[in-house]
Amino acid sequence: MNIPSFQLDGKVALVTGGSKGIGFGMAQALGHYGAKLVITSRGVEEGENAVAQLKEENIEAVYFPCDVTKKDQVEQLVAKVVDHYGSLDILVNNAGMNIRKPLVEVEESDWDQVLTVNLKGLFLIGQACSKQMIKQNYGKIINISSILGTVGMQFQTSYAASKGGINQLTKVWAEELAPHNITVNSIGPGYIKTPMTKEWLSDPERTEWIINSTMSKRIGETSDLVGPVVFLASDTSAYVTGQILNVDGGWTAR
Ligand SMILES: NC(=O)c1ccc[n+]([C@@H]2O[C@H](COP(=O)([O-])OP(=O)(O)OC[C@H]3O[C@@H](n4cnc5c(N)ncnc54)[C@H](OP(=O)(O)O)[C@@H]3O)[C@@H](O)[C@H]2O)c1
């Protein structure tokens, strides 16, 4: 039997929203398994600091700023990645945000902002990267969804709609791109400690409720996503496509 490897030596990975939180943790994980990294985000200083930290860990990495909601910037980003490294093998489509409000208080602008970053941005990046991956006849696309793509929860109108959309896009793209040797999967994290959730998790009552709702009885860490992202980025997952892998301490299984 041919035993495929988890190693990513020689592979080029683009991580959107890679300057902090889940994206940075995933970039570290892919880098430690041998991938060469491109980090992108809007905040240049944070992005360059993230790349400096990766380099300290002996990971080859470069920072290119990009707002994922702007098609021209997205196309320029993909061109820069290919110009710099010669290929684009792994995409972690991670940039995202949230505005939590009761349904009756959601402004039209809240809805537009969340859907534009989380869903349109993910689509634009996925489309531009797919064009390059089709040329290479190889690619691994990992869309970062959420447990809220699967389950409902109060105050998450816009966010849950965006993440449900991501799960559906994942299945559509998986079928379209399979003939080009490209797998497409989603990771749906549960609550993970990051800058995005810092304030939300600062309320002890809410934290207790989350812990009690989770089979593993703890909040997740970015390190909990290392195994899942490396698996989906490597050739060990060659026969896995169109799947939603919830990494949530059992939340969605309850
Ligand atoms: N933390 C959790 O509990 C959790 C749970 C489930 C799913 N997720 C998902 O995981 C992903 C990362 O979340 P996180 O908690 O790590 O968030 P975070 O700490 O707030 O990081 C978000 C990243 O996305 C970037 N970003 C935001 N808007 C962007 C845009 N328009 N263009 C380019 N980059 C943009 C940010 O950089 P700039 O602001 O500088 O652009 C930053 O690098 C998101 O998709 C989120 O929905 C998180």
Side-chain angles (χ1 to χ4, degrees):
M1 182 176 67
N2 173 34
I3 308 282
S5 172
F6 285 97
Q7 279 306 126
L8 302 171
D9 300 288
K11 296 282 197 280
V12 176
L14 169 64
V15 181
T16 70
S19 61
K20 56 185 165 188
I22 288 175
F24 181 69
M26 289 188 170
Q28 275 181 307
L30 299 176
H32 278 279
Y33 278 81
K36 295 181 267 190
L37 265 300
V38 179
I39 298 295
T40 194
S41 68
R42 295 162 305 173
V44 175
E45 199 181 330
E46 256 181 344
E48 284 177 346
N49 287 342
V51 161
Q53 195 176 326
L54 293 175
K55 285 183 174 164
E56 272 175 30
E57 296 172 30
N58 291 321
I59 294 167
E60 197 175 337
V62 66
Y63 176 72
F64 295 137
C66 170
D67 181 340
V68 297
T69 68
K70 306 276 189 280
K71 189 175 161 91
D72 55 339
Q73 291 187 28
V74 167
E75 287 176 348
Q76 282 165 20
L77 168 72
V78 174
K80 277 198 246 175
V81 174
V82 177
D83 190 48
H84 187 80
Y85 283 130
S87 68
L88 171 50
D89 306 299
I90 299 161
L91 165 65
V92 180
N93 216 345
N94 163 79
M97 47 106 46
N98 196 1
I99 301 173
R100 300 177 185 87
K101 283 186 184 174
L103 167 62
V104 293
E105 289 174 22
V106 176
E107 301 285 348
E108 189 180 353
S109 58
D110 299 329
W111 171 271
D112 287 346
Q113 208 184 331
V114 174
L115 272 288
T116 303
V117 175
N118 292 6
L119 195 52
K120 180 182 167 185
L122 180 133
F123 151 69
L124 290 174
I125 289 274
Q127 184 186 53
C129 292
S130 300
K131 289 179 187 170
Q132 174 62 26
M133 290 174 174
I134 288 169
K135 282 189 216 157
Q136 299 170 184
N137 196 40
Y138 183 86
K140 310 288 284 180
I141 297 179
I142 302 156
N143 293 325
I144 306 307
S145 176
S146 161
I147 51 172
L148 289 163
T150 301
V151 299
M153 196 181 293
Q154 62 182 357
F155 312 144
Q156 301 280 6
T157 290
S158 317
Y159 187 79
S162 73
K163 296 300 184 178
I166 290 172
N167 288 355
Q168 282 302 102
L169 276 183
T170 296
K171 296 172 202 171
V172 172
W173 295 357
E175 184 170 31
E176 277 190 41
L177 298 175
H180 304 286
N181 195 30
I182 300 167
T183 62
V184 187
N185 294 287
S186 280
I187 290 178
Y191 282 96
I192 309 288
K193 288 176 206 157
T194 69
M196 183 194 267
T197 51
K198 196 168 181 207
E199 201 193 318
W200 187 251
L201 296 175
S202 65
D203 176 344
E205 262 180 51
R206 187 181 290 129
T207 303
E208 198 186 330
W209 169 73
I210 292 169
I211 290 171
N212 287 333
S213 307
T214 308
M215 290 182 185
S216 301
K217 298 290 176 235
R218 65 175 175 86
I219 310 274
E221 305 281 347
T222 52
S223 57
D224 289 312
L225 296 158
V226 170
V229 76
V230 170
F231 165 60
L232 292 176
S234 75
D235 291 333
T236 56
S237 59
Y239 200 54
V240 178
T241 198
Q243 301 305 305
I244 318 301
L245 175 54
N246 287 313
V247 181
D248 60 0
W251 184 295
T252 50
R254 291 187 77 226

